[in-house]
Amino acid sequence: MAAQTVASTTDTPNAPAAPAAPPVDLGPAVALSCRECGERTPLSPSFACASCFGPLEAAYELPTGDPEALRKAIEAGPESIWRYAPLLPVPADVAAKPNLNPGFTRLVKADRLAAELGVTGELYVKDDSGNPTHSFKDRVVAIAVEAARAFGFTTLSCSSTGNLAGAVGAAAARAGLRSCVFIPHDLEQGKVVMAAVYGGDVVAIEGTYDDVNRFCSELIGDPIGEGWGFTNVNLRPYYAEGSKTLAYEICEQLGWRIPDQIVIPVASGSQLTKIDKGLQELIKVGLVEEKPYRIIAAQAEGCSPVSAAYKAGHDVVRPVKPDTIVKSLAIGNPADGPYVLDIARRTGGAVEDVTDEQVVEGIKLLARTEGIFAETAGGVTVGVAKKLLEAGVLDPAATTVVINTGDGLKTLDAVAATSGPTATIRPSLEAFRAAGLSAH
Amino acid sequence: MSVSVRIPTILRTYTGGQAEVAAEGTTLAEVIADLEKNHTGISARVLDDEGKLRRFVNVYVNDDDVRFEQGLATATPEGAGISIIPAVAGG
Ligand SMILES: Cc1ncc(COP(=O)(O)O)c(C=O)c1O
Ligand SMILES: [Zn+2]
């Protein structure tokens, strides 16, 4: 398949030849490019543009030519994110290396949920709780591991609201890397245990996620941080690309079609931004037909800086101090917030938030109608979908996908108080009859 | 007021590789202006064409994000530690 050559701003004629960079095989990724100003730099573990501080992202030589051949190659590929290797910053032989093979999670046609919400079109739940460590973070970490290998890092690290820490611990264990992850001190026990059980170091920081992030940024600028690959800091341009696979899978599972509306939870906004990028790339390489789609961003009211900016008509996001049961989304200073605003506005979507009570209702509604137990972030997407359907913002006749990004077993406390035994009785028929639960 | 400023890796070309430099000023705006005097070019990296803080840069004065305070008008007390940090995503 032919490759489209991407012009490089660095090859000025007559300029002295730059020293050859060490060969880094990250497949179709050929450079880093600033999402704000477009400035390009060679592939390296850098994450911010030296000119404008904008986020660097992977730039590709994407496959061009025969989309039919690309589609067949993808469909013949492994049942994991690696089927999309030609569209990711990973070497072609990625699936052969030890890794957790995340992705290709189920897309559940949610007819009972649709009936309850008054959706007349097709409603789907993309259930990413089925990943190896039970959240979408396995997708992003798998890509970061490849980058860590390519750049020779020996310690895999991250700042995390919980799920990423578990995904890093597990992926590092499988890849034979040391891991050391940083989390706020007050996370759910399920997430702390999952981060620690894989044998890496877990450091609880006295502060919020934003404090953890700040600490990690300083660690990276210090000699102590040498040899450390932070999945969401110095490896972020690669890491973030993993979220595109959600867009790829949803479209493939719908028979190579883009849904009309997608509801996505937002903490930093990275996942949402890359799902949009993934949809754009599918259109570019000709795997799906171009059509309008709406991106809806979902936040918890107790940490809704992007929703607040959207409602106020701003294009910058003022940080907040989080106070919500939705700890996975408790990022008060969302780095990709401005892009979430851009994308919601460009696609005719929306940014909305729900209360903690509505989050719990959303978790229970999804569990009761579809047998899917979501973590609090999933309660946020279901809650926001419900709220926006009721408000007439979401179109009930459209094809809608709601993303559940994590597993309810990690956030049991959210529903424990209201999900216990219906009755506690002695083991006798009489006692059962007295409890009023018999069918007759 | 004399303060110390932590410089992120991407700006260390302006400070001769130094991770921390001293500066003077009673507000963040004055501190940045003073940094520019000794490290020409640094101000245009941190501020946009309208002289506002760029949207992907986080600045802290003694652990407080200046967007919770008065932005560029945030006071910089004697001995304050100032950090300039690129935004980080994903968690
Ligand atoms: C379960 C879950 N959903 C969604 C998110 C939000 O992702 P992002 O920070 O990319 O917006 C996170 C993590 O931060 C998460 O753990
Ligand atoms: Zn830039």
Side-chain angles (χ1 to χ4, degrees), chain A residues 9 15 62 65 114 161 181 198 213 227 256 258 308 311 316-317 347 403 416 437:
Chain A
T9 51
L62 285 177
T161 60
V181 302
Y198 303 107
N213 242 348
W256 297 106
I258 298 179
K311 290 173 182 174
V316 289
V317 176
T347 64
I403 301 184
L437 291 167

Side-chain angles (χ1 to χ4, degrees), chain A residues 161 209 214 218 221 232 268 318, chain B residues 12 45 63 67 83 90-91:
Chain A
T161 60
Y209 174 79
R214 188 184 153 211
E218 296 193 344
N232 58 328
S268 72
R318 196 181 155 78
Chain B
R12 288 185 197 162
R45 300 279 84 92
D63 291 346
R67 284 170 297 179
S83 291

